[in-house]
Amino acid sequence: MASSITSRRPASSKPASRSPSTVEEEVPKFYVPNITTKDLYGAIPISDVAWIAFFLWAALTYIPKINPQNVTLPHPAFYKVAREAAWALYGFCVGLPAMGLWVIAHECGHHAFSTSERANDVIGWIMHSL
């Protein structure tokens, strides 16, 4: 009895390909959106900085309180684990809005954020310094 591996037909050495005109017809044409610089700036969520500040305040206020005087846990080792888990959650929550700010700073580095080179340099420097 032949195994299923040896009884299979050999693969075709000729790959199936479509003609270039068929591929080009299937890919939708890209159109540049008609937005102004003011529309683009209006889409930047300024609340990101507020969220980062809020999460920092909450972390610095509540994470140090995870200790035997304030919280009852079944084993003393759980306090360290709970604090480390809280800091990990803080890092995730801050990372979401911070990524948006990093993207703005990155675009400033490519001089793609503004038509003004000085504005790109200043905004990029401030954003990367946060």
Side-chain angles (χ1 to χ4, degrees):
M1 178 170 168
S3 71
S4 62
I5 294 175
T6 57
S7 63
R8 291 185 183 168
R9 291 186 331 199
S12 172
S13 61
K14 190 175 179 184
S17 63
R18 296 184 248 172
S19 67
S21 62
T22 307
V23 173
E24 290 174 4
E25 292 170 359
E26 290 181 12
V27 176
K29 187 169 172 99
F30 176 74
Y31 295 100
V32 177
N34 187 16
I35 59 172
T36 65
T37 305
K38 183 179 179 182
D39 294 335
L40 182 62
Y41 290 154
I44 298 170
I46 301 302
S47 63
D48 284 356
V49 176
W51 277 111
I52 292 170
F54 168 75
F55 288 131
L56 178 63
W57 169 81
L60 294 176
T61 302
Y62 294 107
I63 293 176
K65 293 183 180 182
I66 302 174
N67 58 44
Q69 291 80 23
N70 298 319
V71 179
T72 303
L73 294 176
H75 191 275
F78 290 163
Y79 293 101
K80 182 177 180 184
V81 172
R83 281 192 301 273
E84 289 174 357
W87 279 114
L89 179 64
Y90 161 78
F92 175 77
C93 292
V94 167
L96 295 175
M99 182 65 185
L101 297 178
W102 178 87
V103 168
I104 294 170
H106 180 77
E107 291 306 312
C108 287
H110 292 291
H111 297 281
F113 184 71
S114 172
T115 55
S116 168
E117 186 172 337
R118 181 172 294 253
N120 282 317
D121 291 341
V122 170
I123 292 170
W125 183 79
I126 290 170
M127 297 297 240
H128 276 298
S129 298
L130 292 177

